[in-house]
Amino acid sequence: MALQQKKVLSKTSKVRTSTGGAASNLQAQSLPSEIEVKYKIAECYTILKLDKDAIAVLDGIPSRQRTPKINMMLANLYRKAGQERSAVTSYKEVLRQCPLALDAIIGLLSLSVKGAEVASMTMDVIQSIPNLDWLSVWIKAYAFIHAGDNQRAINTICSLEKKSLLRDNVDLLVSLADVYFRAGDTKNAILKFEQAQMLDPYLIKGMDVYGYLMAREGHLEDVEVLGGRLFNISDQHAEPWVISGCHSFYSKRYSRALYLGAKAIQLNSNSVQALLLKGAALRNMGRVQEAIIHFREAMRLAPCRLDCYEGLIDCYLASNGIREAMGMANNIYKTLGANAQTLTILATVCLEDPVTQEKAKTLLDKALAQRPDYTKAVVKKAELLSREQKYEEGIALLRNALANQSDCVLHRMLGDFLVAINDYQEAMDQYSIALSLDPNDQKSLEGMQKMEKEESPTDATVELDGDDMEGSGEDGDLEGSDSEAAQWADQEQWFGMQ
């Protein structure tokens, strides 16, 4: 309507100008330009999730007349639509006009443009403006992040963080926390997220990953508080929904986690954490093929995040697709190199086939030689030693790993090994420590109950009946998942939507 009105006004102003109307000429000059109106139309289309229409409107603006904000919007839309070459061209055009546009720099690096090429586009500005020497290091750090070189990314960001100009920079801390998470260093990831949150209590970016890590570590009360606080800040971001979904998932309420994950994706279709949450919920509800679709989309959006591949491999293994899982694991190994994480993923698949057990052992030894504290590698090696009934060796491995960290799964596994060698008292202590770290850890509870049954055989039948009842209740929840999802959908007001 604005564009049509502008055409009418332009025609009438021309007529009046020819008859000497100065006032109407001034009015025509004060009107917003046609380009600005088209930009606002494109904004409306993006809010309505009509990205193709937004691209069509912006494509209609001649390239010479496109301002940096138009090129930036076009670049983001192209990238979202998978038109990578067009996205690169638009981001480069932004940088040509605004060499300090950091979002354009990150956009180019995320599309596999070399760090050196991106840095060359900002070199003249860095040399001409004082106190900008940090920018070239910053570009190098994000180049490492998007290349999947986590360790060099961590080292580079840490060197940046020590500089007075960028000390306590929230964006940098969130990026550092995220890289620690990708590298499998949960402890440092949580510390950096907490540091960023203390500096900015209204921080939303990255809090979905923080909430997921806290839930995975068993701190469900803290996750619930975090989710509530973020809902109070804004319920129009995906992050608070993902956090609440993680709380539900680790409380074994999968249909509710599924609903919350779907709501997060509705708010932000590019939320990797929301896609992973929904995929994990679908997988645990037995809907493996649907889960695979979500893990693949997460993998497309974040090709350097190993948890996307791990989710997909878990789905293949759950549906007996060992060949597909092996192909995916080998592909990760070749693409991202032989680090502790990729070696462990490949070993996990090898453990599923009796023919490749020895190969799994070699891979896990290599992973632990690189990172003796890598929990997933320790867990898989312990599983292998348990199968081979090498209990003393397993106990030594777990004690060594627990010397520098306290982890629920490691304490529980140590308890299982101690039971195997009849050291019941210390086994009970290990199960107790595991439950203190994660009160919802069902396997630790089962381990303790099994020991109690052996100590008091007269009570065994009663307790067994109780366990059977619990198991049947879980099956009932699974069968009624669709009705429960509908029930949660009816309770949107509880989530602060209305």
Side-chain angles (χ1 to χ4, degrees):
M1 285 172 69
L3 285 173
Q4 288 171 354
Q5 189 67 22
K6 182 171 168 55
K7 284 175 185 176
V8 172
L9 286 167
S10 297
K11 285 176 183 176
T12 54
S13 64
K14 281 176 186 175
V15 174
R16 286 177 183 174
T17 305
S18 61
T19 57
S24 61
N25 192 29
L26 284 169
Q27 183 192 13
Q29 287 175 1
S30 65
L31 288 170
S33 68
E34 188 175 327
I35 294 165
E36 185 62 29
V37 178
K38 284 184 176 179
Y39 176 79
K40 290 186 184 298
I41 289 172
E43 275 189 318
C44 292
Y45 277 134
T46 56
I47 293 164
L48 293 167
K49 306 279 193 297
L50 300 170
D51 292 348
K52 285 183 181 177
D53 294 310
I55 290 171
V57 169
L58 296 177
D59 270 340
I61 301 169
S63 54
R64 287 186 179 181
Q65 294 177 21
R66 290 174 193 169
T67 60
K69 69 176 181 181
I70 288 169
N71 278 313
M72 192 70 196
M73 184 186 274
L74 255 179
N76 290 333
L77 287 165
Y78 283 141
R79 186 173 66 168
K80 198 174 172 185
Q83 298 178 41
E84 293 189 1
R85 190 176 292 179
S86 299
V88 167
T89 305
S90 295
Y91 280 131
K92 283 183 175 177
E93 191 56 35
V94 174
L95 273 188
R96 190 182 65 78
Q97 294 173 284
C98 304
L100 297 178
L102 300 185
D103 283 343
I105 291 170
I106 289 175
L108 284 171
L109 294 170
S110 71
L111 292 167
S112 304
V113 177
K114 298 288 183 189
E117 186 184 343
V118 177
S120 68
M121 299 174 77
T122 63
M123 201 57 68
D124 291 341
V125 185
I126 291 171
Q127 289 171 353
S128 61
I129 297 176
N131 298 322
L132 262 187
D133 55 322
W134 58 268
L135 184 57
S136 55
V137 185
W138 185 92
I139 293 169
K140 191 191 291 185
Y142 281 89
F144 287 141
I145 289 172
H146 290 289
D149 193 340
N150 295 323
Q151 198 51 56
R152 286 166 82 182
I154 288 166
N155 294 339
T156 311
I157 295 175
C158 285
S159 73
L160 264 179
E161 206 198 352
K162 288 171 187 172
K163 296 191 176 187
S164 57
L165 277 170
L166 293 176
R167 188 173 289 133
D168 290 340
N169 180 285
V170 173
D171 272 336
L172 208 58
L173 283 168
V174 169
S175 294
L176 182 56
D178 195 55
V179 184
Y180 273 128
F181 158 63
R182 293 183 190 200
D185 190 343
T186 303
K187 185 180 175 183
N188 275 316
I190 288 174
L191 281 172
K192 291 300 172 184
F193 275 128
E194 284 174 352
Q195 198 178 334
Q197 193 183 214
M198 284 169 68
L199 289 164
D200 181 4
Y202 294 96
L203 179 66
I204 290 179
K205 182 186 173 185
M207 290 294 102
D208 50 351
V209 177
Y210 175 51
Y212 159 70
L213 288 175
M214 296 284 279
R216 198 178 72 183
E217 293 295 298
H219 307 306
L220 293 181
E221 287 183 14
D222 295 333
V223 174
E224 195 169 14
V225 171
L226 177 67
R229 193 166 61 74
L230 260 69
F231 271 121
N232 288 334
I233 296 167
S234 171
D235 62 358
Q236 294 305 303
H237 287 79
E239 284 83 350
W241 298 91
V242 171
I243 292 165
S244 290
C246 289
H247 181 275
S248 298
F249 181 85
Y250 284 95
S251 302
K252 295 183 170 55
R253 297 153 81 180
Y254 301 125
S255 53
R256 184 182 166 201
L258 176 63
Y259 166 70
L260 292 164
K263 177 62 187 174
I265 292 167
Q266 190 184 334
L267 288 166
N268 180 6
S269 59
N270 284 349
S271 171
V272 174
Q273 210 58 45
L275 288 162
L276 291 174
L277 169 65
K278 194 177 174 190
L282 286 164
R283 181 192 62 211
N284 284 23
M285 290 167 72
R287 293 156 66 176
V288 177
Q289 292 308 311
E290 290 174 73
I292 285 171
I293 293 166
H294 288 79
F295 285 124
R296 279 184 178 156
E297 179 60 15
M299 201 170 73
R300 186 186 71 80
L301 292 168
C304 291
R305 273 188 60 168
L306 285 171
D307 47 346
C308 303
Y309 299 94
E310 285 174 326
L312 198 53
I313 287 169
D314 285 346
C315 287
Y316 287 143
L317 293 176
S319 55
N320 295 318
I322 293 178
R323 186 179 292 177
E324 292 93 336
M326 186 64 80
M328 178 65 69
N330 276 315
N331 186 40
I332 300 163
Y333 180 75
K334 288 171 187 171
T335 309
L336 299 177
N339 57 55
Q341 291 167 285
T342 55
L343 287 162
T344 305
I345 289 170
L346 188 53
T348 302
V349 182
C350 290
L351 282 170
E352 296 296 317
D353 188 348
V355 179
T356 51
Q357 296 276 315
E358 277 304 311
K359 186 182 177 183
K361 190 174 183 180
T362 306
L363 291 165
L364 289 169
D365 287 340
K366 284 182 182 177
L368 289 167
Q370 283 189 26
R371 278 183 58 187
D373 62 334
Y374 186 47
T375 306
K376 286 183 181 177
V378 174
V379 168
K380 290 297 169 186
K381 180 73 186 288
E383 282 178 13
L384 185 59
L385 292 170
S386 178
R387 287 183 197 180
E388 295 173 345
Q389 297 185 353
K390 295 179 179 176
Y391 301 121
E392 294 292 348
E393 200 177 324
I395 288 167
L397 172 76
L398 291 163
R399 286 196 199 283
N400 187 47
L402 286 165
N404 300 312
Q405 60 180 320
S406 192
D407 181 88
C408 168
V409 176
L410 297 183
H411 282 292
R412 184 228 302 151
M413 291 187 89
L414 181 54
D416 293 342
F417 275 90
L418 290 164
V419 168
I421 62 164
N422 301 322
D423 190 345
Y424 297 118
Q425 186 54 54
E426 198 189 342
M428 188 66 85
D429 293 342
Q430 292 299 328
Y431 288 137
S432 299
I433 295 168
L435 285 167
S436 70
L437 292 167
D438 181 3
N440 295 304
D441 185 46
Q442 199 63 36
K443 289 183 179 178
S444 294
L445 278 168
E446 287 168 8
M448 289 184 87
Q449 287 167 359
K450 191 176 178 183
M451 285 177 64
E452 286 166 4
K453 284 174 198 171
E454 287 176 3
E455 286 175 11
S456 52
T458 52
D459 299 333
T461 53
V462 180
E463 290 187 23
L464 190 63
D465 292 341
D467 286 344
D468 289 343
M469 286 172 67
E470 283 178 19
S472 63
E474 282 180 15
D475 291 341
D477 287 346
L478 212 67
E479 289 168 7
S481 60
D482 290 336
S483 60
E484 193 182 338
Q487 177 189 345
W488 286 113
D490 291 338
Q491 294 185 18
E492 288 188 344
Q493 191 169 2
W494 184 83
F495 297 115
M497 286 184 63
Q498 295 176 354

